Amino acid sequence: MTFTDQEILETVRMFELETLDIRTVTLGINLFDCADPDLESTCEKVYTKVVHHARALQEVARSITADYGIKIVNRRIAVTPIAWVAAASGAEDLVPLARALDLAAREVGVDFIGGFSAYVYKGVSNADRALLESIPRALPETESVCASVALASTRAGINMDAVARYSGIVLETAQLTASRGGIGCAKLVCFCNAVEDNPFVAGAHLGVGEGETVLNVGVSGPGVVRSAIARLGPEADLLAVAETVKRTAFKVTRMGELVGREAARRLGTTFGIVDISLAPTPAAGDSVSDILELIGAERTGAPGTTAALALLTDAVKKGGAMASSSVGGLSGAFIPVSEDSGMLAAVRDGALSLAKLEALTSVCSVGLDMVAVPGDTPASTLCGIIADEMAVGMINHKTTAVRIIPVPGKRPGDTVEWGGLLGTAIVQDPGRFGCAVLFARGGRIPPPLQSFRN
């Protein structure tokens, strides 16, 4: 394949001026063969296998950056859901496994390791229960470990008993990291229709259908898309906007696949997918909110925002699908409130509420992400917020998630600083009405009629 001078200059501009980067290369590692009746032996096997397969990941990322001039921001690992690995031991405390994962991540120099996870959308096994009960201690005691729980799916419905318990776990995790603004919850997420090849944390884990190891790539280019729409100008119609986003996503995806395939080759593993998700950061010019406002919403959260986000997400997916047969993960547009400077400004201005965020999740790639609420929010209210989001995913056959952070000691309108990629959050008001009766009922919300497709 040859490239014109113009294409080369466009790519250089994307990297130098428009904050284009490879957000993450994530190595998936299958841990099923680490299962052992003795938990200590399981921990040793997990540590040894992760270190063995991921030892070269950091160096490979550096070498690709040196050879191609492409910035790789994060190196991560995703493993088989630990509830499945730990089942053979019958252990009730799985914090030692979290520590083993954390030590392995530190040894190989990755940023995060995902997979302290369980699937409980229809029922909860003994191992699932052990993992759930271990989360509040596992996350504060580790630096790199991320946890995720699948609570619902279109095929199974919503396990409301699990949603209720998960809500309590979120509050416990927040209290145990109260001195750091409840930051433990930033490494904890729940899903409807969980994606098993997701390279992004906190939900990264290796699904049961994956191989021994696999290399997945997450590419992020909000700044590139923002610049392309800005150059297009406000006179162009929406078809032209969609076409511009699609063409830009095509270029970004091609770059991501090149990096992914080369990284997999150098690691001696299989290339999996490229996730073309517009994942913002607090840095200026790297905001999804800015894109929505360039498309035409006066302020993110104003009337028209959901339509603009629908256009953006769909065009990104179409551009990715045109560029590669290996597009996967979540792919589309993320709206993590604290990690997007434009979203934060919209919350500060009163344009973006929790209710509007829920509406936006019907068309974005994931769901309610990095949303801060008061630390004294009742478990029943958290349960309702999470159940609402699970319902959006269940009914619409899409992945939805909730990464919510009850910040101890904070009230609506207060600010909490987490720093780095996690950014700054303004505590949002969940409202004064709750759903205590729904919370108390328990049971399971059955799957919708459209789930019966076979």
Side-chain angles (χ1 to χ4, degrees):
M1 179 184 293
T2 59
F3 297 92
T4 67
D5 291 346
Q6 181 180 352
E7 288 173 319
I8 293 171
L9 289 172
E10 282 181 351
T11 303
V12 170
R13 184 183 66 230
M14 288 178 182
F15 287 118
E16 296 298 326
L17 301 177
E18 299 169 353
T19 65
L20 176 63
D21 55 49
I22 299 293
R23 187 55 50 85
T24 179
V25 288
T26 301
L27 179 65
I29 304 173
N30 189 313
L31 298 183
F32 275 122
D33 58 356
C34 296
D36 193 285
D38 179 67
L39 184 65
E40 185 175 347
S41 296
T42 304
C43 292
E44 291 174 358
K45 291 177 181 179
V46 165
Y47 173 84
T48 300
K49 187 167 187 179
V50 170
V51 171
H52 171 74
H53 284 292
R55 189 180 295 278
L57 182 59
Q58 183 81 284
E59 182 54 38
V60 164
R62 288 198 193 102
S63 67
I64 288 175
T65 297
D67 292 347
Y68 294 96
I70 298 173
K71 183 179 181 181
I72 298 175
V73 179
N74 297 296
R75 278 73 61 190
R76 296 165 177 168
I77 296 169
V79 300
T80 305
I82 290 299
W84 300 344
V85 180
S89 72
E92 295 182 0
D93 180 5
L94 302 188
V95 174
L97 268 168
R99 295 195 193 105
L101 291 172
D102 200 46
L103 285 171
R106 196 178 312 162
E107 175 66 24
V108 300
V110 299
D111 306 281
F112 291 104
I113 184 164
F116 200 73
S117 308
Y119 275 65
V120 295
Y121 45 62
K122 198 170 185 181
V124 180
S125 70
N126 291 334
D128 293 329
R129 186 171 292 105
L131 186 129
L132 291 171
E133 299 305 323
S134 299
I135 286 174
R137 287 191 299 117
L139 297 185
E141 291 184 23
T142 59
E143 291 296 323
S144 303
V145 174
C146 294
S148 60
V149 182
L151 297 173
S153 75
T154 298
R155 292 287 297 187
I158 306 173
N159 185 342
M160 289 299 293
D161 290 329
V163 172
R165 182 64 194 107
Y166 179 85
S167 302
I169 287 167
V170 170
L171 289 170
E172 291 172 39
T173 304
Q175 286 297 329
L176 289 171
T177 53
S179 62
R180 293 180 288 162
I183 199 170
C185 297
K187 301 190 295 173
L188 175 60
V189 65
C190 64
F191 281 105
C192 176
N193 295 322
V195 176
E196 299 183 20
D197 58 6
N198 170 22
F200 288 101
V201 295
H205 63 282
L206 189 72
V208 68
E210 301 286 346
E212 187 69 7
T213 62
V214 63
L215 194 286
N216 296 320
V217 171
V219 184
S220 180
V224 177
V225 174
R226 177 187 181 279
S227 295
I229 297 176
R231 288 193 297 272
L232 187 65
E235 296 81 13
D237 69 14
L238 292 172
L239 283 175
V241 172
E243 186 65 20
T244 298
V245 174
K246 186 172 69 175
R247 288 176 180 272
T248 304
F250 178 92
K251 296 172 185 175
V252 171
T253 305
R254 295 291 286 176
M255 181 271 294
E257 181 161 354
L258 180 150
V259 170
R261 291 192 179 279
E262 182 59 19
R265 185 189 69 79
R266 295 185 187 190
L267 280 169
T269 188
T270 302
F271 171 65
I273 58 96
V274 54
D275 185 320
I276 171 63
S277 288
L278 302 185
T281 71
D286 206 23
S287 165
V288 169
S289 176
D290 289 352
I291 298 172
L292 301 178
E293 291 172 12
L294 280 170
I295 291 174
E298 182 178 354
R299 202 68 167 133
T300 297
T305 302
T306 306
L309 183 58
L311 180 153
L312 176 64
T313 302
D314 181 65
V316 167
K317 290 179 184 290
K318 286 175 177 173
M322 288 171 59
S324 171
S325 297
S326 300
V327 172
L330 297 164
S331 289
F334 291 173
I335 52 171
V337 181
S338 74
E339 297 173 10
D340 187 311
S341 59
M343 295 279 178
L344 182 65
V347 172
R348 184 179 293 115
D349 292 345
L352 187 59
S353 66
L354 194 56
K356 184 61 176 181
L357 276 168
E358 183 182 313
L360 293 176
T361 65
S362 65
V363 296
C364 77
S365 294
V366 193
L368 294 173
D369 197 10
M370 290 302 292
V371 174
V373 294
D376 60 359
T377 301
S380 59
T381 299
L382 285 181
C383 177
I385 293 170
I386 292 167
D388 285 346
E389 195 58 36
M390 298 298 101
V392 170
M394 178 183 71
I395 295 295
N396 291 289
H397 283 275
K398 74 183 294 290
T399 299
T400 52
V402 177
R403 188 162 47 147
I404 193 165
I405 305 175
V407 186
K410 296 291 185 178
R411 306 297 303 164
D414 290 346
T415 298
V416 55
E417 299 278 354
W418 291 308
L421 181 62
L422 299 179
T424 302
I426 297 175
V427 177
Q428 300 201 45
D429 187 356
R432 62 190 182 92
F433 298 105
C435 56
V437 173
L438 180 71
F439 176 77
R441 285 184 185 276
R444 186 160 57 92
I445 294 178
L449 185 60
Q450 60 263 39
S451 68
F452 303 118
R453 287 187 164 186
N454 53 326

